[in-house]
Amino acid sequence: MENLRHILIDLDGTLTDPKLGIHTSIRYAMDKLGRPLAPELDIDWTIGPPLKASLMKLLDTEDHDLGEQALLAYRERFSVIGLFENEVYPTVAETLEALKQRDYQLFVATAKPTVYAKRILEHFQLAEFFNEIYGSELTGERTNKGELIEYIVQQEALQPAHCLMIGDREYDILGARKNGIEAIAVEYGYGSQAELDQAQPKARIQQFAELLQHLGQG
């Protein structure tokens, strides 16, 4: 990919598998609000999009105050325990190191609050590979991927033509496209095949290390 200088990378479902921490914290919140979820209920779809909206969907409500209560209950557990109930995907660390050696600028672009993203990446010793870690605010700003990517481009004075986005959900691909940026989808995350088919990323990879092949020798 000629002229590529900057790579924006999603966190949940792309760099790390956060399923245990997110799911357990969601169930904790729903229990606390007296709306426990059936143990067999599939809530994988909650990984990636803005969390408050997902909690409101689970509560079957349009009451934003109730959604905020659920979010606060979620964070009670997630901020202490859940964020570390997480696992780095195979080949991630060595691939990030190889990208840095090729002089790419790397940025995290996650809908997760920046304060949590930084703690997670520091915990797993991945923070050192990134020029900057960008996420949302605890108040809800920049949970929309398109708005987040636009913010990163502005803050870092990036040229969209020199950027690439890597993520596992349609939000990553569509958010990048909205800003004139190509995207590569990872297929091991939480985006379904149908979702990725519809979003039409530039390419799809089965493991993170395959990114190096798509970039050539950089």
Side-chain angles (χ1 to χ4, degrees):
M1 293 183 180
E2 281 187 62
N3 301 321
L4 179 62
R5 300 283 178 271
H6 321 293
I7 304 177
L8 283 58
I9 308 175
D10 175 47
L11 175 57
D12 291 344
T14 302
L15 295 174
T16 68
D17 183 353
K19 182 172 179 172
L20 178 61
I22 290 177
H23 282 193
T24 311
S25 300
I26 285 174
R27 291 181 179 280
Y28 170 88
M30 296 296 286
D31 284 348
K32 189 162 187 181
L33 268 63
R35 301 281 292 276
L37 301 175
E40 68 277 6
L41 182 68
D42 181 359
I43 54 172
D44 282 358
W45 57 269
T46 61
I47 299 175
L51 186 61
K52 182 179 172 182
S54 296
L55 290 166
M56 287 173 65
K57 188 173 178 181
L58 287 168
L59 289 162
D60 192 22
T61 185
E62 293 182 8
D63 183 343
H64 282 271
D65 288 342
L66 186 58
E68 202 63 35
Q69 284 179 45
L71 189 59
L72 290 173
Y74 169 91
R75 287 174 179 167
E76 275 179 21
R77 187 186 184 281
F78 185 83
S79 64
V80 180
I81 304 167
L83 74 172
F84 301 129
E85 292 173 325
N86 206 334
E87 188 176 343
V88 180
Y89 284 114
T91 75
V92 162
E94 53 265 49
T95 303
L96 291 174
E97 187 169 9
L99 292 170
K100 287 303 285 184
Q101 287 172 353
R102 293 184 185 189
D103 293 326
Y104 289 111
Q105 284 194 310
L106 305 181
F107 302 96
V108 169
T110 176
K112 185 182 291 301
T114 308
V115 62
Y116 298 151
K118 286 184 174 178
R119 287 175 64 194
I120 291 164
L121 291 160
E122 284 163 5
H123 176 78
F124 290 110
Q125 298 179 313
L126 297 177
E128 64 198 76
F129 298 116
F130 292 94
N131 294 69
E132 192 57 74
I133 296 164
Y134 286 97
S136 62
E137 301 295 329
L138 288 168
T139 48
E141 288 105 328
R142 293 191 296 281
T143 51
N144 176 283
K145 243 344 169 1
E147 291 172 8
L148 174 67
I149 292 169
E150 180 182 16
Y151 179 77
I152 296 170
V153 167
Q154 290 174 348
Q155 290 294 114
E156 299 289 337
L158 306 179
Q159 293 292 324
H162 297 167
C163 298
L164 178 69
M165 177 73 201
I166 315 296
D168 69 313
R169 299 295 308 269
E170 63 182 344
Y171 311 98
D172 302 305
I173 298 148
L174 301 178
R177 186 171 297 139
K178 187 177 177 184
N179 288 280
I181 294 172
E182 294 276 15
I184 289 179
V186 303
E187 293 193 321
Y188 52 77
Y190 288 90
S192 68
Q193 292 297 310
E195 177 181 322
L196 296 180
D197 287 346
Q198 192 164 1
Q200 296 186 312
K202 182 181 179 69
R204 289 155 75 153
I205 56 178
Q206 277 71 52
Q207 63 168 322
F208 198 70
E210 288 178 34
L211 179 58
L212 298 173
Q213 296 162 28
H214 283 276
L215 300 181
Q217 294 309 305

